[in-house]
Amino acid sequence: MHNYLELKIWQQSRSLVKKIFILSESFPSHQLYSLTNQMQRAAILIPSNIAEGAGRDSDKEFIRFLDIANGSAFELETQLFICADLGYEKIEIVYSIIEELKEIQKMIFKFRRSLESKS
Protein backbone atom coordinates (compact mmCIF):
# COMPACT_ATOMS: atom_id res chain seq x y z
CA MET A 1 0.00 0.00 0.00
CA HIS A 2 1.24 3.49 -0.89
CA ASN A 3 0.46 6.84 0.67
CA TYR A 4 -1.11 8.62 -2.30
CA LEU A 5 -1.06 11.96 -0.45
CA GLU A 6 2.73 11.98 -0.81
CA LEU A 7 2.74 11.09 -4.51
CA LYS A 8 3.65 14.05 -6.70
CA ILE A 9 1.56 12.65 -9.56
CA TRP A 10 -1.51 12.69 -7.32
CA GLN A 11 -0.76 16.23 -6.10
CA GLN A 12 -0.23 17.60 -9.61
CA SER A 13 -3.24 15.83 -11.07
CA ARG A 14 -5.39 17.18 -8.26
CA SER A 15 -4.17 20.68 -9.08
CA LEU A 16 -5.05 20.05 -12.71
CA VAL A 17 -8.66 19.26 -11.74
CA LYS A 18 -9.06 22.79 -10.39
CA LYS A 19 -7.66 24.27 -13.61
CA ILE A 20 -10.05 22.20 -15.71
CA PHE A 21 -13.04 23.34 -13.64
CA ILE A 22 -11.97 26.99 -13.95
CA LEU A 23 -11.34 26.61 -17.69
CA SER A 24 -14.67 24.91 -18.36
CA GLU A 25 -16.63 27.62 -16.51
CA SER A 26 -16.19 29.82 -19.58
CA PHE A 27 -17.66 27.26 -22.01
CA PRO A 28 -21.05 27.93 -23.60
CA SER A 29 -23.97 26.76 -21.48
CA HIS A 30 -25.11 24.31 -24.16
CA GLN A 31 -21.86 22.38 -23.50
CA LEU A 32 -22.68 21.85 -19.81
CA TYR A 33 -23.82 18.25 -20.24
CA SER A 34 -21.40 17.29 -22.98
CA LEU A 35 -17.84 18.61 -23.29
CA THR A 36 -17.83 20.44 -19.94
CA ASN A 37 -19.06 17.39 -18.06
CA GLN A 38 -16.76 14.99 -19.94
CA MET A 39 -13.67 17.11 -19.27
CA GLN A 40 -14.45 17.51 -15.59
CA ARG A 41 -15.09 13.79 -15.18
CA ALA A 42 -11.90 12.79 -17.02
CA ALA A 43 -9.87 15.24 -14.92
CA ILE A 44 -11.36 13.95 -11.65
CA LEU A 45 -10.66 10.34 -12.64
CA ILE A 46 -6.91 10.91 -12.88
CA PRO A 47 -6.17 11.58 -9.17
CA SER A 48 -9.08 9.36 -8.12
CA ASN A 49 -7.63 6.29 -9.84
CA ILE A 50 -4.15 7.05 -8.53
CA ALA A 51 -5.58 7.17 -5.00
CA GLU A 52 -7.65 4.03 -5.48
CA GLY A 53 -4.68 2.13 -6.88
CA ALA A 54 -2.48 3.27 -4.01
CA GLY A 55 -4.90 1.67 -1.60
CA ARG A 56 -4.74 -1.74 -3.25
CA ASP A 57 -2.85 -4.71 -1.87
CA SER A 58 -0.32 -5.13 -4.63
CA ASP A 59 1.79 -3.16 -7.05
CA LYS A 60 0.20 -5.16 -9.87
CA GLU A 61 -3.22 -3.78 -8.93
CA PHE A 62 -1.77 -0.29 -8.50
CA ILE A 63 -0.31 -0.51 -12.02
CA ARG A 64 -3.77 -1.33 -13.37
CA PHE A 65 -5.21 1.81 -11.77
CA LEU A 66 -2.30 3.88 -13.06
CA ASP A 67 -3.18 2.62 -16.54
CA ILE A 68 -6.77 3.74 -16.02
CA ALA A 69 -5.59 7.15 -14.76
CA ASN A 70 -3.36 7.51 -17.79
CA GLY A 71 -6.25 6.59 -20.08
CA SER A 72 -8.28 9.39 -18.50
CA ALA A 73 -5.34 11.75 -19.01
CA PHE A 74 -5.25 10.97 -22.73
CA GLU A 75 -9.02 11.34 -22.92
CA LEU A 76 -8.74 14.76 -21.28
CA GLU A 77 -5.93 15.75 -23.65
CA THR A 78 -8.18 14.99 -26.63
CA GLN A 79 -11.01 16.98 -25.10
CA LEU A 80 -8.67 19.94 -24.57
CA PHE A 81 -7.69 19.84 -28.24
CA ILE A 82 -11.40 19.82 -29.14
CA CYS A 83 -11.95 22.77 -26.81
CA ALA A 84 -9.18 24.65 -28.66
CA ASP A 85 -10.57 23.61 -32.06
CA LEU A 86 -13.97 25.02 -31.11
CA GLY A 87 -12.43 28.27 -29.85
CA TYR A 88 -13.92 28.02 -26.37
CA GLU A 89 -10.80 29.44 -24.75
CA LYS A 90 -7.59 31.18 -25.78
CA ILE A 91 -5.35 28.62 -27.42
CA GLU A 92 -2.36 29.63 -25.23
CA ILE A 93 -4.29 28.77 -22.08
CA VAL A 94 -5.45 25.42 -23.44
CA TYR A 95 -1.96 24.50 -24.65
CA SER A 96 -0.38 25.39 -21.30
CA ILE A 97 -2.81 23.00 -19.60
CA ILE A 98 -2.02 20.35 -22.24
CA GLU A 99 1.70 20.73 -21.45
CA GLU A 100 0.97 20.26 -17.74
CA LEU A 101 -1.12 17.21 -18.57
CA LYS A 102 1.70 15.75 -20.68
CA GLU A 103 4.00 16.06 -17.65
CA ILE A 104 1.49 14.13 -15.55
CA GLN A 105 1.28 11.45 -18.25
CA LYS A 106 5.09 11.11 -18.22
CA MET A 107 5.12 10.91 -14.43
CA ILE A 108 2.48 8.19 -14.42
CA PHE A 109 4.43 6.24 -17.04
CA LYS A 110 7.71 6.52 -15.10
CA PHE A 111 6.07 5.58 -11.80
CA ARG A 112 4.37 2.64 -13.47
CA ARG A 113 7.72 1.46 -14.81
CA SER A 114 9.30 1.72 -11.37
CA LEU A 115 6.51 -0.39 -9.87
CA GLU A 116 6.93 -2.97 -12.64
CA SER A 117 10.67 -3.25 -12.04
CA LYS A 118 10.05 -3.87 -8.32
CA SER A 119 7.68 -6.76 -9.07
Side-chain angles (χ1 to χ4, degrees):
M1 211 155 75
H2 299 263
N3 183 353
Y4 69 90
L5 298 171
E6 294 177 3
L7 294 174
K8 191 168 180 139
I9 53 174
W10 179 81
Q11 295 166 359
Q12 283 191 237
S13 60
R14 193 172 140 228
S15 172
L16 181 73
V17 171
K18 183 177 179 180
K19 290 178 183 177
I20 294 299
F21 270 75
I22 291 169
L23 174 78
S24 62
E25 283 177 355
S26 67
F27 291 179
S29 60
H30 69 273
Q31 287 296 341
L32 181 61
Y33 298 107
S34 54
L35 188 59
T36 302
N37 185 276
Q38 284 291 109
M39 287 177 67
Q40 290 174 351
R41 290 178 64 201
I44 289 169
L45 285 172
I46 300 168
S48 297
N49 278 298
I50 293 168
E52 186 171 352
R56 296 299 173 138
D57 288 338
S58 71
D59 286 346
K60 183 178 179 181
E61 284 186 273
F62 195 1
I63 288 168
R64 187 170 69 84
F65 280 92
L66 289 173
D67 287 341
I68 295 168
N70 213 26
S72 295
F74 279 95
E75 178 183 349
L76 179 59
E77 182 179 2
T78 299
Q79 294 159 351
L80 284 163
F81 280 118
I82 292 168
C83 165
D85 293 345
L86 295 172
Y88 288 160
E89 188 57 67
K90 291 180 184 173
I91 201 146
E92 301 84 25
I93 294 171
V94 174
Y95 277 49
S96 71
I97 293 173
I98 288 172
E99 287 307 310
E100 188 175 336
L101 184 57
K102 284 185 180 296
E103 275 304 305
I104 291 169
Q105 291 165 343
K106 289 177 192 174
M107 291 169 67
I108 292 171
F109 183 78
K110 288 178 182 176
F111 185 55
R112 184 190 188 290
R113 289 279 187 226
S114 72
L115 290 176
E116 281 180 328
S117 67
K118 277 180 24 180
S119 300

